[in-house]
Amino acid sequence: MMNFLRRYKSEIYGNYRVAYLRDGLIAGAVMFLVIVFCKLIYYPIYAPESYVTDITLLVVTLFFAYRYRKKLPEGKVSFKELMLFGLGLGVVAAIVYGLSLMLYGSLIDRDFSSRCLEHFVLGEMRGSGTAEEKEATVAVMRSYKLHTWAFIGTFRTAVMSIMSAFIAALIFRTERLVTSET
């Protein structure tokens, strides 16, 4: 049984902790610049997390995972190492993105919280459930402030980083399954 569980042996080839801290800061800043760019082209965001930010996170994760692999000796990297790198990058990017949502909502787009509320209330009213349940949910949503929307964006970005890290690790890993001949 233990032989089955330990079939895959991996090695850490680089210092992924330094890389994901540095690249996570850049990734969070890129996500912030994307939402500012959307505001500038008159396409303001209606939720703390959208397809635009999800795609941006995926592209940035893929770019930095590729760059990380290329900087390693012989370009060798394991699935585990890329997963750790991608998850670390995603968490740091999510924190930076959440803080930048606070900045965005308080300085750049003061209608951000009200647009988020309107978007989610309209979605809740179209959903299923009794009228009392819908009204209770809407009442809770009306109490949300800017920091609540920023936390929602941070949490959801961190969760989406799991999928982005998995995709990047599948694409860019170079180490394969080691089989032992006995």
Side-chain angles (χ1 to χ4, degrees), residues 23-37:
D23 296 344
L25 290 171
I26 296 169
V30 167
M31 291 177 71
F32 174 66
L33 291 175
V34 165
I35 63 171
V36 169
F37 177 73

Side-chain angles (χ1 to χ4, degrees), residues 100-149:
S100 64
L101 276 179
M102 293 286 291
L103 178 73
Y104 176 79
S106 61
L107 298 177
I108 298 171
D109 187 4
R110 294 186 184 267
D111 295 331
F112 172 66
S113 290
S114 60
R115 261 198 328 276
C116 287
L117 177 65
E118 180 181 320
H119 176 76
F120 281 98
V121 166
L122 287 175
E124 182 62 31
M125 288 302 174
R126 284 190 302 246
S128 62
T130 65
E132 294 83 24
E133 291 172 343
K134 290 179 183 179
E135 284 301 319
T137 304
V138 169
V140 170
M141 286 183 184
R142 291 193 195 285
S143 69
Y144 288 2
K145 304 289 185 233
L146 178 60
H147 66 282
T148 309
W149 294 114

Side-chain angles (χ1 to χ4, degrees), residues 43-61:
Y43 181 72
I45 58 173
Y46 289 90
E49 182 72 16
S50 65
Y51 290 123
V52 173
T53 57
D54 292 344
I55 292 170
T56 303
L57 178 66
L58 177 63
V59 168
V60 168
T61 303

